[in-house]
Amino acid sequence: MSFYQLIVNAKWESWASTLVYLPEIVLCLTIVILLLLRLPRWGSRISSLGIALVGSVIAFVLSIPFETTAEANPEAATTAQPVSLLQEETSPNPPDIEASSEETKAYKQPGDTIFSGLIVYDGLTIFFRQLLILFVVALLILMGLTGIPDRDSGADVFTLILGATVGFSLMVSSNHLLIAFLGVEMASVPSYVLAGTLKGRRIASEAALKFALYGAGAAGVMLYGMSLMAGALGSAHLPTMAENLAQLTANGVDDRQLVLFLGGLMILVGLAFKLSAFPFHFWCPDVFEGATAEVDAFLSVASKAAAIGLLLRFAIGISGVPGEPIEAPAAVAQATSTEEAKNTFDILAISQTEATSLTFAAQADQEKTKLEEKPVTDPDSSVVPIQDLIVFLIGLMAALTTTFGNLAAYGQTNIKRLMAYSTIAHAGYLMMPVAAAVALLSKDQAGAQEAVASVVVYLIAYFFMNLGVFAIIALLRNRIRSEEIEDYAGIVRESPGLVVCFGILMFSLIGLPPLAGFLGKFWIFAALWEAGLITLLFIGGLNTFFSIFYYLRVLKVMVLSPEPDHRSPAAIPIISWPGLYVAALTVPVAILLVFWEPIRVYSLWAAADLFQ
Amino acid sequence: MVESLIENWGFPEWMAYLIAATIPCVLLLHVVAVGALFFIWLERKVSGRIQDRLGPTRVGGKYGWLQSLADGVKLISKEDLVPAGADSWLFRLAPYISVSCCLAAYLTIPFAYGWVAQNLDVAVFFVLAILGLEVFGVILAGYASGSKWSLLGGMREAAQVVSYEVPLGLCVVLPVMLAGSMNLTTIAQVQSGWFTSWLIFYNPFLFVTFWIFFTCALASVNRAPFDLAEAESELVAGFHTEYSGLRWSLFFLAEYGSMFSVSALAVLLFLGGWNGPIPITSWIGWTFEYGWFWGTLGNFVGLANFIFKCSLGIVLMMWVRWTLPRLRIDQVMTICLKYCLPLVCLMLLGNLMWPWIAGPPSASFVQKRYEAYQHLHPEPTTETEADEETTAESNSVAISLPQQVNEKQKVVLTTSSTTDSSLPLQTN
Amino acid sequence: MDNILWHSVFFWAFAVITCGFAVMVVLSDNIVRMAVALIFSLSGAAGLFLLAGADFVGAMQLMIYVGGTLVLLIFGVMLTAQGPFISLKAGSGDWIIAVVMVGLSLAMLLPMAWSVPDWHGPAMGASETKTTKQTALQEEAEADQETVVVEHNVSVTEIGLSLVGVRTDLNQEDQESGQLPEGYLLPFEIVSVHLLVILIGAAYLARAKRPRKPTKYP
Amino acid sequence: MFTQPIGVAHYLVVGAILFVCGIVCMTTKRNTIGILMGVELVLSAAILNFVAFSQPAFRVDQEASLGIDGHVFALFAIVLAAAEAAVALAIALNYYNNHSTIDVDRAQDLQG
């Protein structure tokens, strides 16, 4: 291949990839605009919150995948154009274009990798991206309501939030160790600064310091593990690594066991730190207490979601290699899943009044989305021991994390510390289906898909629950200047609407039946049951029981205890912007069960590409 | 060299290696040491003339040319003091760090075509990195002295050098971009011929960049008007307040040594290296094409040329020092971050756009670039049937300037793309 | 004496520098001495990079790591120093923990490093899998490893091209298999955004709160 | 010792020693900047591994070396480490402004 063709290939690849990478690019542009607006004198009159909001809303709109047929998309023609222009000059076509006779291959579709294999663009990526960007939109609105970054520091804080979001999106879509590391760094380093947003406060600076030091250490260990893994497997590209690993184990060459084990363990340490899983959770309560409630929401939802995404990519990417390539069924599934994309998004886009009628259509399509009931990996394949090891490690960590988080939450008097331990516990619940998915790889492809889909559902529920709780904490902090649980005493008499919302969110966090938390948890437990991880299921159930009491204790203080005398008035009526914001987050939690079917279809679609 | 020592002279291998390593080291040491003596004398003369006096006149005859040697003897014979409150280990170590970094930078600087101790592929980068390390000597000296003047001087130096490394690095990118290599020999060889082919005259952007480079280089070697670290009007003598004797003189050796090395860098990157304003040596046939002897002769001329240009650069530095007043620390930072940095970014953009304005680089430039590249990577090309000229041109264009492929070159590339199966790139 | 490999000699020299000063970083009580030891250790590592044929990475290490990051660290020491020379003594309990940790981790990591025969160097590989090419290479390596390393030197051009997405180092079959090799355009571009964000974040924390009214600076 | 060619394993041993030193430094030092130095050592160890893995002349099975991937990874690791250090230092300075110390043991307002 000539040098010139290489350039043409690279150009084509980056151009086609850029089109589906637009949301992140818009976020980056917003950062630059926020920076440049400080230069001119009139720039300070423009609200930085507004710019950040507009940027993230545009990014969210762009993250909805556009039409996937060449005729329907005018942009596809422009995409293909540079390639065809160059083709006239060079007689031999670049191999990729030559391979695909149809024009439809000229741009990226869900399921492809973009940027020459560095990033996966599939259902899971699309889901995480939408979740994260939507979260940023919601968070920015919350910040506008509570006014925590003041005028001076607004632009800085929003820049950090948007920058971290780009990092999160890299993490969840990474197909290469370099991207994973880059994503982790891009996500965590701005988070360290965010933890110290209120830079004049002693505890805020202490929180930032602890976060930064532990985080830097964890990142170092993770990089060392990555170097060992990449070196032992001869590549840093995840699919290639998985192939090489399968080959190594199949050949019975076991001299690299120790290297691989240590490398994998060190990567797991880094991920566990991001997830605040049990032995590496110690930063979490301190940072949550020191940082503001808004930043806590960011750390507990976005950061955890991205870390779970990366864990999924690693765990399934490294061990989900088929024993032999499945030719025909995979192609069929690919076709249906891309078709499904449109349907699902139609459902989500169209207003919810029509949802009931559309549910039938979705139900009809559901059979197509479901993958066939066959194992991804051959049951006697050489990767099965590796899968078992991964299941054991993640399962053990999940069990310990959940139990520890729930037990340690009991003694807390500060609501943010309590929520920190609650976050730890939920990270444990989120890790359970990952273990289940890996365990099901060698048994049942559809089951593994269900397990991953349960992560998706749980994250959707978790998004509303945790953001709602932290929003209430932030709003109450602005009124009563306290975050101690005892200061919440009898607050129901001043703002009953808010406490009702808080109650609903708390019940949902426990996982009581009609609420969103129940939906997610039920599905996770179903996946565990199917995977045969009965012990883990039992621990999860037991922990749900544990968690009832400390959540309800907060509610009890709010409702039953008498009001203290010295407290400043805390009334937040539900018919006000803050009240409506909280209500808007609570309503989906309450009624998510109604939309069981669309969510189920959507989550299954998001999970389907992972097993192609 | 090692092979010839073993085969022709019968040395054992280890001794051959030792000799081959010693010769460049000794030569470079002499360049630095003798150079420093000479330039210290020169500075005293130049400053004298600028201030309308004579400077040294006694030692060594009419011009006082032995003055710095006498000073050196005096400094060596002085007592080596370490203050009681100092961190003695670091205090003793600091001057050696400065000097050894200064010397290490010379390893990759070519003095004439092929006369370089270590022909590194990343020479430009390496020199910059090593010069950046020199700051540690100053910082440690400032810290370990246990005196607040020294500490303030050290901190100023740290802030200044770290900031100025940024525009300095960006300035270097422009010539590197044009030559398509970070090897200093290649960059200098690209500018062979008349002085119009020096990179400073390549386009207006490079002309401006040269002066930015010169300013930043002044700051990075801590010369006036950027000598905040030793500002004697405020800080007594800054980082070397507590030093005396040999260690004190080592700092000055390092200062003059790095003055020479940054000015050598400027000459190599912008002023044609050893290639003179007029290509006399190639007219009279003193090149390697006509054999080893004539090439060496030509190299001596080039060496003289190179050293003369470097000296001019140093005289310019002295001129600046004795003319301009010292800046305040905030002014130093303002110049770096508010003026130099945006300006050099602008120059970088302009240089990228230049082919749109003035068309692709001339054929002779491309040819020279290709030859310089070939010299570095002498690979037997397997292709025989292809038109040698065209392939050479297109390859080197594509290698060095993939972002500047414009219409004309594209055609050239297209015609040759079917035949260039062995790019000079694929050395593995 | 004649079969000494100079490459190996220099490797050991740099390895001793790197490890020795790394140990000094741990043992030293004075924070600035720690920093100096770290400078030497990391510079030694840069020497190892150059020996491994990674010229560009070595120069980067010297420039960014040693010349940038460490200057910053020392700067930080000076800004936060209270006494003239900061000394930090670790308690004996800490030392016991440290010794146990060193023992445990070295007991794991050193056998790990030697566990793969392929990695022992070109001369000591598993003998049954050798091809003729490998044997030739082995002999060559025994003769003069430096030449072999230099032959495999990755040039800056190749790294630079891979950063804009063009891979020239892979052979033709790899590229015609349809799967493009990994070009690093995306990380190269996105890391600049990261650095911008970091710059803003660090400046935000380090600067004082902006005064309400701009004071007239004399 | 000097007559044997160098392999990846030699580099890994140096990397392992750096790694252990870094970890010990992170756990025993009480000064924030001391801890950061430990982190630098750990990162440097990882970079050393990458460089060693990407040199084909250090091993028998040349195809398994990382090649340019390793170099690029090392480069990015250096850049990211520098960025991380800058932020950590800014945070340490901010902490110092509020607490007048950078001793980690005095950071006891938050007890987890």
Side-chain angles (χ1 to χ4, degrees), chain A residues 5 86-94 98, chain B residues 414 417-418:
Chain A
Q5 280 171 15
L86 294 168
Q87 275 171 4
E88 288 165 15
E89 294 171 18
T90 54
S91 42
N93 289 344
E98 203 175 16
Chain B
T414 319
S417 62
T418 47

Side-chain angles (χ1 to χ4, degrees), chain C:
Chain C
M1 198 81 187
D2 265 1
N3 48 13
I4 277 187
L5 292 177
W6 290 95
H7 186 264
S8 305
V9 173
F10 280 107
F11 169 80
W12 287 110
F14 278 120
V16 167
I17 290 176
T18 310
C19 297
F21 281 106
V23 172
M24 243 180 92
V25 172
V26 177
L27 296 182
S28 180
D29 285 338
N30 180 320
I31 186 96
V32 178
R33 288 194 185 180
M34 271 172 70
V36 174
L38 192 61
I39 293 168
F40 285 120
S41 178
L42 294 186
S43 309
L48 288 177
F49 295 168
L50 293 177
L51 276 184
D55 293 355
F56 190 62
V57 181
M60 276 279 272
Q61 163 105 351
L62 279 182
M63 188 151 187
I64 298 179
Y65 229 126
V66 185
T69 311
L70 283 184
V71 173
L72 213 62
L73 283 185
I74 294 184
F75 204 62
V77 171
M78 290 181 177
L79 281 179
T80 54
Q82 286 150 331
F85 300 112
I86 312 125
S87 141
L88 14 124
K89 288 257 189 309
S92 55
D94 284 337
W95 281 118
I96 295 169
I97 296 171
V99 167
V100 171
M101 252 173 40
V102 168
L104 278 180
S105 17
L106 280 184
M108 271 198 303
L109 288 174
L110 293 185
M112 177 209 78
W114 282 104
S115 65
V116 183
D118 179 26
W119 293 350
H120 289 188
M124 290 177 268
S127 55
E128 69 271 17
T129 56
K130 265 183 251 166
T131 62
T132 48
K133 187 187 159 199
Q134 281 163 355
T135 325
L137 177 94
Q138 206 175 319
E139 281 162 9
E140 200 183 347
E142 277 170 14
D144 186 1
Q145 197 179 10
E146 194 194 331
T147 24
V148 186
V149 171
V150 169
E151 234 167 63
H152 286 99
N153 200 337
V154 175
S155 78
V156 192
T157 321
E158 283 173 82
I159 294 179
L161 283 175
S162 81
L163 285 182
V164 294
V166 181
R167 288 293 289 266
T168 53
D169 57 322
L170 301 177
N171 52 24
Q172 207 162 343
E173 297 89 66
D174 285 347
Q175 289 171 352
E176 280 177 358
S177 64
Q179 173 72 38
L180 280 172
E182 303 100 58
Y184 293 98
L185 179 69
L186 174 74
F188 183 60
E189 297 294 340
I190 211 89
V191 85
S192 59
V193 177
H194 175 57
L195 292 179
L196 178 67
V197 172
I198 290 311
L199 201 66
I200 293 172
Y204 168 68
L205 278 187
R207 74 158 182 256
K209 200 85 173 164
R210 215 178 290 161
R212 285 286 153 203
K213 279 173 193 162
T215 51
K216 261 282 186 255
Y217 201 74

